[in-house]
Amino acid sequence: MVDWARLSQLLPATPLRVVSISLLFYGINSVKDVYIVAEGVGLPAGTERATINLANMLVETYRVTIVVADEAVPYYSLSEKVNVHSLGIGRLDGATRRHQWVKLFFIELRRFLRDKHAYALIGTNFVANCSLSILCLSLWFKPHRLLFCEHAPYLFYSPIRRLLRLFLYRGGGVVVALTPQDADAYKRKMLKAVCIPNSISQIRE
């Protein structure tokens, strides 16, 4: 279990949120496969950068696979040791209704993970987090570590989405929030949450 007080002393000025997220895995020597689920890693955006940074860190110890919707080449530098698996459905665009795309995303993700022995799962956005939570509510799919990374403030989503999120996030995972206020908001709803600020440079390496 992570000692967050000690962590704050060790990393008082660390700008990378992914460093702290990766520390959630320390002490788990038996971890084999870590799956990071994202819409994609081909755009020059913050979530994509955070996803790739986290994968590059974890792959030094674990076997890491990034699961994405599209087939775009990673925009940021990604270690050759990290596997990237495409679900083959593409990113959401104007030609596909959102609810149809989300349904397809869930179906393909379930098909991919069904025969995998995932020891740890990390969601990187609302759709990925909700999909992983639903999968983990089933009896046959129980990873040892489940993280729901939130890259948006607690009140960013609509009331309906917030209600859905609070219900689905009860699947046994830990919410990684942006601010202490966000983490407290989740905790007031009886959810497990930690605060790891998101301050990642957008300079491409």
Side-chain angles (χ1 to χ4, degrees):
M1 185 175 182
V2 176
D3 184 345
W4 292 101
R6 177 59 177 163
L7 176 60
S8 64
Q9 296 174 1
L10 293 175
L11 303 172
T14 300
L16 296 181
R17 187 186 195 206
V18 293
V19 173
S20 299
I21 294 175
S22 67
L23 289 179
L24 291 172
F25 294 93
Y26 276 21
I28 311 174
N29 298 324
S30 60
V31 168
K32 297 298 182 182
D33 291 292
V34 174
Y35 294 90
I36 304 175
V37 182
E39 286 190 26
V41 289
L43 298 178
T47 300
E48 283 80 354
R49 175 66 180 263
T51 299
I52 289 178
N53 280 343
L54 180 59
N56 286 339
M57 286 184 154
L58 292 177
V59 79
E60 296 303 320
T61 307
Y62 312 112
R63 187 164 54 237
V64 178
T65 299
I66 302 177
V67 184
V68 295
D70 60 14
E71 298 181 1
V73 175
Y75 181 85
Y76 297 104
S77 178
L78 182 65
S79 170
E80 294 181 353
K81 294 184 289 185
V82 176
N83 299 312
V84 178
H85 174 81
S86 171
L87 298 177
I89 65 172
R91 295 184 74 105
L92 179 64
D93 55 33
T96 306
R97 292 187 176 182
R98 183 171 183 84
H99 73 275
Q100 294 176 333
W101 184 88
V102 170
K103 180 180 179 181
L104 188 58
F105 182 91
F106 174 79
I107 290 174
E108 293 301 324
L109 180 62
R110 180 180 60 183
R111 179 178 291 126
F112 172 70
L113 292 175
R114 183 165 47 195
D115 60 348
K116 303 295 188 298
H117 298 286
Y119 202 84
L121 293 171
I122 305 173
T124 60
N125 63 11
F126 180 80
V127 174
N129 292 341
C130 291
S131 297
L132 290 176
S133 178
I134 294 173
L135 286 174
C136 292
L137 286 172
S138 62
L139 295 177
W140 53 268
F141 200 81
K142 295 294 181 183
H144 189 74
R145 283 287 187 273
L146 175 61
L147 301 182
F148 303 131
C149 295
E150 282 290 339
H151 294 276
Y154 180 82
L155 295 177
F156 176 79
Y157 295 112
S158 67
I160 294 179
R161 274 200 178 191
R162 294 203 299 269
L163 182 62
L164 180 63
R165 178 181 61 188
L166 292 176
F167 174 75
L168 291 178
Y169 283 14
R170 297 184 188 279
V174 176
V175 180
V176 180
L178 286 174
T179 67
Q181 292 77 14
D182 288 340
D184 288 341
Y186 285 109
K187 291 176 182 178
R188 286 195 295 270
K189 299 297 184 179
M190 305 303 291
L191 293 175
K192 298 177 183 178
V194 296
C195 170
I196 299 178
N198 189 11
S199 54
I200 299 174
S201 170
Q202 297 303 302
I203 300 176
R204 184 176 184 178
E205 296 177 352

